[in-house]
Amino acid sequence: MLNGCASVIIPPHELAAFLENRQSNPHGWLGMHPAKIGGKSGVVARAFVRGAVKCEVVELDAAGAPRHGMTQLSSMGFYEIFFAGRAEVFRYQLRYETSWGDIHQVYNAYSFLPTLGEQDLYLFNEGNEHRIYEKLGSHVRQLGEVPGVAFAVWAPTASRVSVVGNFNAWDARFHPMRPLGASGVWELFVPGLTEGELYKFAIWDQHGHMRLKTDPYGTYFEAPPNNAAIVCRTSRYQWNDAAWITQREEQAGKIDRPMSVYEVQLGSWRRKLEDGDRPLTYRELAPALADYVVDLGFTHIEIMPVAEHPYTGSWGYQVTGYFAPTHRHGSPEDFQFFVDHMHQRGIGVILDWVPAHFPRDSFALAQFDGTHLYEHEDPRLGAHMDWGTLIFNYGRNEVRCFLVASALSWLERFHIDGLRVDAVASMLYLDYSRKAGEWIPNRYGGRENLEAITFLKQVNDLVHHYYPGALMIAEESTAFPMVSRPTKDGGLGFDYKWNMGLMHDTLEFFQKDAIHRKWMHDKLTFGMVYQYSENFISVYSHDEVVHLKSSMLGKMGAGPASEKAANLRALYGFVWLYPGKKLLFMGGEFGQWREWNHDASLDWHLLEHPEHRGVQSLVRDLNRLYVSDAVLSARDFDPSSFRWVNASDRDHSTLSFLRQDQSGGTAYLVVCNFTPVTRTGFCVGVPLRGHWREVLNTNASIYGGEGFGNYGGQTTGESTADGFAQSLVLTLPGLSTLVLKWDGVVAPPVVRVAQIKAAKKIPATKRARK
């Protein structure tokens, strides 16, 4: 007898299972349970406490909170006690003394009911628990009056699972988790824990091999090489962007909105050189980046992946923490501050999201419970040849639920305005980057990945349902049909698609010396064949300025630096006036010479030079022009807003086109000259009589150009040209894009004569021969 209670012995094989890490049903033995011992009914209480040399049960509801000493069954810290004659279990705490002299009084982790209900588990297994991130992972909770942390993880074929961390010295014997029926979910509420605890899951497969895994649903992680998850709450931040969210919701479904995107890699945009050349924190980045983006007139930023990743050199595209902003710039709350600040400055935030693949790192998703849980078992379905990574099994309900929840969590927890989905083409095709025999056809014998297509449609529809006005953007490099069309019409449901074709064609054209460009003229005009098949964003992304591809400025055809800068300005002028939303990777806006390096800051010192300041000034003015008139920004997807004036002058590498509103009362003429020869007396037809004001000239001296132009504009003459009854006679500087807007004012003829005479004063070396 001990304190009036009989001491009993747990069956030896069950005790051994605990002590040897073989127990898969801890709640069946630990905690307090009705029992019958030696013919006597009562309740038995058991505890397994690391380092305990003495343990007592404290009766909380009895007068004086009596303490009952427990019998030590193992020096490892296993205790039990039998209360004979007690009809029901009662509220209690464990009071224990450790071998290092500490005394603790805590609730027993094995005295609580599951924190997930049957409905949660049913919807998860069905693939329809859209906010499963609120149930799985780690969550600071209070069960009744008891604070603690609830842990849950999906590991359906595991033989047993424990949660380990600083709180149990990473010893998997002391916090084994319970399986919740046939759901495959393991769960445990650990009282007394709070934010900041580091943890992982110890998972044993069916062969008895243990894997130490980080939490797939973790919201915060420590740095490599340990990569432990950190208990963290993301609901505490006080947002100040209600006006922005309301405005975003009001724009739901309005894809024809102004959108000029600055693509950023947070670790290398600007660094703290005086502090060991470290990356800026989220809180340091917010005001600096917002000031810059607002000044240059961009409407959005797109952030290369910030989801947690172990290898910086992957640029964030090999994700191991699908719900966690990377620790490299601060905490999740710091990232919330970053997004909130952007919204308060009127800047939308788009995030790169990577559901196409995941790395093989042993601590993460690969063979999570000893089986190919998140990935396909067959490498012909489950392995990427190009990147050495694994492919999600989109046909598995719980995997699809995981990915959908990841997408929704970024919009819910961090108020992200849109997701740019990486490598969509690799998801759509079973034979992506594979040779014959290296892939398995779908059930119809085709090459389309039907499960991935279903998943993409689902996630797009759910994002639009839960977060009106949020954008879904596809980086998709093939001609797969209807990527940016609603699912109800048979499309994939994205709002926009990156225009990879225009990017590759224009860069191929501009990389050639001007003398060879006439044989590549179609590279500039072919894009209009498919322009209105999708809702396109014209992009010049990070992928084009790495791996020896050269920078945007470096790509420009042969010639001195000034000529390369003129080429780049002409290209930007052409693209900003061409239909489609805009995206430019950082550094391209001021003509960085070096390729992008993820471990170094952009070369901001280049802005001391006129050519680079000029490119930056041009981008600023192009953005302001673009957003200032709905003709240029709100009719990108209306074919009637665009008309070629002359697209066939390949011998001189000139192009001209119109951007007009529906009534024809507002019109912009864009004229491009992609050779270094300045052309005077250049005749171009226009649909409206009167004065056409020169609103932008990429050759202007403020942009680093030579300053040749049309002295503010030109008035139409009666000569027919390009199918129109009137025309303009222009000075067309070499390597330039001109933008003229019809303002309806007829200037006196003397002005036109003076302009023509002034144009003739241009040196002969700058003019085309007549």
Side-chain angles (χ1 to χ4, degrees):
M1 300 289 291
L2 184 64
N3 292 336
C5 301
S7 174
V8 297
I9 300 295
I10 186 174
H13 68 281
E14 294 293 351
L15 177 59
F18 277 103
L19 302 181
E20 298 169 8
N21 265 341
R22 293 185 287 103
Q23 178 54 253
S24 61
N25 183 28
H27 285 73
W29 298 96
L30 296 178
M32 187 174 285
H33 305 271
K36 195 169 187 178
I37 306 296
K40 293 184 178 180
S41 296
V43 294
V44 63
R46 298 189 183 92
F48 193 18
V49 183
R50 186 183 71 88
V53 295
K54 179 182 178 181
C55 193
E56 299 171 312
V57 169
V58 180
E59 251 187 288
L60 295 178
D61 295 329
R67 300 182 346 217
H68 307 280
M70 304 178 76
T71 301
Q72 185 184 69
L73 303 183
S74 167
S75 60
M76 292 182 184
F78 202 100
Y79 293 82
E80 69 176 0
I81 185 172
F82 179 63
F83 295 89
R86 300 294 292 262
E88 296 179 346
V89 298
F90 53 84
R91 284 197 328 125
Y92 71 99
Q93 286 183 321
L94 298 173
R95 181 183 174 86
Y96 66 91
E97 182 177 340
T98 67
S99 57
W100 45 90
D102 294 337
I103 296 177
H104 302 270
Q105 185 165 318
V106 298
Y107 287 91
N108 192 341
Y110 298 90
S111 60
F112 296 92
L113 294 173
T115 55
L116 282 85
E118 291 184 4
Q119 183 73 358
D120 300 324
L121 299 171
Y122 175 80
L123 291 174
F124 173 59
N125 292 141
E126 188 184 56
N128 288 320
E129 177 48 87
H130 303 150
R131 288 188 169 87
I132 192 62
Y133 58 85
E134 295 177 347
K135 314 294 173 57
L136 297 186
S138 67
H139 299 277
V140 177
R141 289 194 175 147
Q142 185 155 319
L143 300 188
E145 63 186 29
V146 184
V149 176
F151 297 94
V153 64
W154 179 55
T157 66
S159 60
R160 62 191 183 280
V161 179
S162 291
V163 59
V164 296
N166 291 337
F167 49 89
N168 60 17
W170 304 90
D171 192 327
R173 292 172 299 177
F174 294 104
H175 285 93
M177 304 173 76
R178 73 173 134 208
L180 298 181
S183 68
V185 174
W186 301 72
E187 180 269 353
L188 183 67
F189 177 74
V190 183
L193 298 188
T194 186
E195 287 188 272
E197 294 283 359
L198 275 67
Y199 70 97
K200 290 185 180 182
F201 295 113
I203 301 175
W204 283 263
D205 63 20
Q206 292 295 323
H207 303 290
H209 301 128
M210 192 269 281
R211 291 168 170 80
L212 204 56
K213 294 286 191 176
T214 54
D215 184 0
Y217 290 85
T219 55
Y220 191 23
F221 290 88
E222 69 171 339
N226 294 325
N227 304 297
I230 303 172
V231 176
C232 176
R233 284 188 290 186
T234 59
S235 58
R236 188 172 48 206
Y237 183 80
Q238 296 297 311
W239 290 90
N240 298 289
D241 63 348
W244 172 271
I245 298 299
T246 299
Q247 179 189 42
R248 190 181 76 187
E249 291 173 351
E250 291 171 351
Q251 293 178 323
K254 299 176 182 178
I255 56 171
D256 255 348
R257 62 178 94 167
M259 189 174 174
S260 183
V261 184
Y262 186 57
E263 187 187 20
V264 185
Q265 203 272 341
L266 296 183
S268 57
W269 177 69
R270 185 173 290 164
R271 296 169 71 93
K272 202 81 168 178
L273 300 178
E274 65 275 20
D275 191 12
D277 193 25
R278 66 166 175 81
L280 299 181
T281 67
Y282 294 124
R283 290 181 182 267
E284 289 170 334
L285 279 160
L289 184 56
D291 286 348
Y292 188 72
V293 169
V294 168
D295 176 57
L296 288 189
F298 289 99
T299 63
H300 295 70
I301 59 171
E302 180 180 310
I303 310 171
M304 289 172 64
V306 297
E308 193 57 84
H309 52 284
Y311 177 45
T312 304
S314 76
W315 311 335
Y317 288 100
Q318 295 195 7
V319 179
T320 54
Y322 275 80
F323 296 80
T326 179
H327 69 280
R328 291 168 175 84
H329 308 287
S331 68
E333 187 170 302
D334 294 333
F335 184 63
Q336 290 171 320
F337 173 88
F338 173 87
V339 177
D340 195 11
H341 186 86
M342 291 295 164
H343 286 172
Q344 292 178 61
R345 298 293 302 277
I347 304 164
V349 182
I350 299 165
L351 185 67
D352 267 18
W353 184 58
V354 192
H357 60 125
F358 61 92
R360 299 173 182 266
D361 297 73
S362 60
F363 68 85
L365 294 179
Q367 293 194 332
F368 189 76
D369 62 356
T371 67
H372 297 278
L373 187 61
Y374 286 88
E375 70 272 25
H376 288 277
E377 182 176 5
D378 193 322
R380 293 174 295 175
L381 294 171
H384 264 308
M385 302 302 180
D386 289 347
W387 306 310
T389 52
L390 300 173
I391 301 172
F392 283 104
N393 183 350
Y394 304 107
R396 190 162 196 168
N397 290 344
E398 296 89 348
V399 174
R400 195 168 60 252
C401 198
F402 167 82
L403 290 171
V404 166
S406 169
L408 297 178
S409 74
W410 289 102
L411 282 79
E412 174 66 26
R413 289 168 166 168
F414 302 105
H415 290 204
I416 296 298
D417 299 295
L419 299 174
R420 176 266 196 183
V421 183
D422 180 62
V424 170
S426 73
M427 301 172 67
L428 295 176
Y429 299 104
L430 295 166
D431 63 345
Y432 181 84
S433 197
R434 296 177 187 270
K435 300 175 183 177
E438 294 180 346
W439 60 284
I440 300 175
N442 63 35
R443 61 181 176 270
Y444 301 114
R447 57 195 285 256
E448 296 79 14
N449 189 333
L450 302 180
E451 290 80 10
I453 291 170
T454 299
F455 159 70
L456 288 171
K457 290 180 177 181
Q458 180 189 23
V459 73
N460 286 332
D461 282 348
L462 288 172
V463 164
H464 293 140
H465 171 72
Y466 286 118
Y467 305 99
L471 304 174
M472 295 298 289
I473 303 167
E475 186 228 4
E476 201 284 311
S477 56
T478 73
F480 193 92
M482 302 181 72
V483 171
S484 56
R485 296 294 180 262
T487 57
K488 64 182 178 60
D489 297 331
L492 289 184
F494 286 97
D495 297 287
Y496 303 106
K497 173 180 171 175
W498 274 21
N499 194 339
M500 312 288 277
L502 180 71
M503 175 177 67
H504 291 142
D505 284 350
T506 52
L507 289 179
E508 189 175 352
F509 177 90
F510 275 88
Q511 283 176 307
K512 297 294 184 183
D513 191 6
I515 197 171
H516 302 297
R517 288 177 178 173
K518 64 181 179 181
W519 288 286
M520 304 190 69
H521 196 73
D522 293 347
K523 294 291 183 182
L524 300 180
T525 59
F526 178 72
M528 196 48 63
V529 172
Y530 58 82
Q531 177 64 32
Y532 298 102
S533 63
E534 301 281 359
N535 302 329
F536 280 122
I537 300 177
S538 303
V539 298
Y540 293 95
S541 74
H542 67 276
D543 273 330
E544 302 312 306
V545 294
V546 289
H547 302 321
L548 303 181
K549 295 178 185 176
S550 191
S551 66
M552 286 295 290
L553 184 61
K555 289 177 189 291
M556 299 298 102
S562 59
E563 192 167 298
K564 286 181 177 292
N567 270 288
L568 187 61
R569 295 194 304 267
L571 168 61
Y572 288 166
F574 169 71
V575 172
W576 251 259
L577 274 298
Y578 193 85
K581 308 309 174 189
K582 321 300 174 189
L583 179 141
L584 183 63
F585 181 59
M586 64 182 199
E589 81 279 10
F590 62 80
Q592 173 153 313
W593 275 112
R594 289 187 303 114
E595 284 192 342
W596 168 57
N597 177 2
H598 66 272
D599 278 331
S601 174
L602 295 181
D603 293 335
W604 295 104
H605 64 276
L606 293 176
L607 288 171
E608 299 171 7
H609 303 284
E611 285 98 348
H612 299 279
R613 285 200 309 273
V615 173
Q616 186 191 59
S617 295
L618 174 68
V619 170
R620 181 187 294 111
D621 287 350
L622 283 169
N623 277 331
R624 290 175 178 173
L625 176 62
Y626 168 71
V627 302
S628 68
D629 198 322
V631 172
L632 302 177
S633 57
R635 301 195 69 219
D636 278 322
F637 309 127
D638 181 355
S640 68
S641 73
F642 178 90
R643 177 177 177 177
W644 287 118
V645 175
N646 188 336
S648 59
D649 186 16
R650 68 171 56 242
D651 286 340
H652 302 105
S653 292
T654 70
L655 279 174
S656 51
F657 60 86
L658 291 164
R659 298 295 305 275
Q660 295 179 280
D661 68 358
Q662 212 157 15
S663 68
T666 302
Y668 289 86
L669 172 69
V670 182
V671 190
C672 305
N673 177 12
F674 297 137
T675 70
V677 178
T678 293
R679 306 185 185 281
T680 60
F682 187 85
C683 189
V684 56
V686 289
L688 299 168
R689 287 184 172 84
H691 190 257
W692 289 72
R693 178 166 44 91
E694 190 175 81
V695 295
L696 188 136
N697 178 349
T698 67
N699 186 254
S701 56
I702 59 171
Y703 305 138
E706 296 172 308
F708 300 138
N710 294 276
Y711 304 96
Q714 283 282 14
T715 300
T716 55
E718 299 305 314
S719 300
T720 61
D722 302 315
F724 295 106
Q726 55 279 322
S727 60
L728 298 172
V729 179
L730 302 175
T731 295
L732 192 55
L735 299 175
S736 70
T737 295
L738 302 182
V739 183
L740 297 100
K741 182 181 181 182
W742 180 73
D743 61 18
V745 178
V746 179
V750 66
V751 175
R752 175 173 161 79
V753 172
Q755 290 169 345
I756 294 173
K757 288 181 178 179
K760 290 180 179 179
K761 294 178 182 178
I762 297 172
T765 55
K766 299 294 183 182
R767 289 188 279 121
R769 289 185 182 176
K770 294 185 179 180

